[in-house]
Amino acid sequence: DIQMTQSPSSLSASVGDRVTITCRASQSITSFLHWYQQKPGKAPELLVYAASSLESGVPSRFRGSGSGTDFTLTISSLQAEDFATYYCQQTYNTPRTFGQGTKVEIK
Amino acid sequence: QVQLQQWGAGLLRPSETLSLTCAVSGGSFTDYSWSWIRQPPGKGLEWIGEIDQTGSTNYNPSLKSRLTISRDTSKNHLSLKLSSVTAADTAVYYCARNYGYRSIADYWGQGTLVTVSS
């Protein structure tokens, strides 16, 4: 199985801050990497697919980058509605594994 | 607008079989593959398995011996059966549509909490 390691596991930030979350794969997954946002009690929502493509309707302050084994999700200016947990997922092969999640909390 | 509506028994005893259904509306059913994903309370997401456009399945090896994912194309329904459940199977279960050759989960069901308790 491909292991996905996210860091940090949690972070505290203020509205307006720039936030960066990293995701590392245990082997190359080229660009088969996607980011999801999950709010409490809700299903995850797709933010970024294929490492750097923004899903329709997602604000441009979200940006994904990377390829191979190292990936980054950046929120350029954190908004109140962005406080949530973020997951990366690889779909390079099966089982399609997720990172453990990064919880973004209000500072 | 694509919608995925899930239902199934929410409380099971150990050793029983978990059975969930996901009804798809607002889009093509047979043009996509479909996944099941679960999330234990307070924990992260775990991929359970998927069924592709031909009806072929891929399962998480950790669940494979107990798992059946199937579809009914006449009803646009996806189903999940997990046998011999234990407390470790307590989780919110989600169905999701997989988009494109990268199998991107772009639409999700609302989730169904399944609790296993004696």
Side-chain angles (χ1 to χ4, degrees), chain B residues 50-58 71:
Chain B
E50 66 188 20
I51 186 165
D52 71 12
Q53 295 90 327
T54 70
S56 295
T57 54
N58 281 303
R71 63 179 188 167

Side-chain angles (χ1 to χ4, degrees), chain A residues 38-53:
Chain A
Q38 186 180 33
K39 296 182 179 178
K42 300 294 187 181
E45 294 185 356
L46 179 65
L47 289 178
V48 171
Y49 63 93
S52 60
S53 295

Side-chain angles (χ1 to χ4, degrees), chain A residues 12-82:
Chain A
S12 295
S14 300
V15 171
D17 284 354
R18 181 183 182 91
V19 169
T20 299
I21 300 168
T22 64
C23 181
R24 174 165 288 177
S26 59
Q27 67 180 72
S28 176
I29 56 172
T30 63
S31 62
F32 283 69
L33 187 283
H34 322 298
W35 291 97
Y36 299 89
Q37 178 192 67
Q38 186 180 33
K39 296 182 179 178
K42 300 294 187 181
E45 294 185 356
L46 179 65
L47 289 178
V48 171
Y49 63 93
S52 60
S53 295
L54 204 62
E55 172 69 344
S56 175
V58 174
S60 59
R61 61 181 179 271
F62 290 93
R63 179 176 176 270
S65 63
S67 67
T69 60
D70 293 311
F71 302 87
T72 299
L73 176 70
T74 301
I75 310 172
S76 60
S77 178
L78 197 67
Q79 301 301 300
E81 60 267 31
D82 301 336

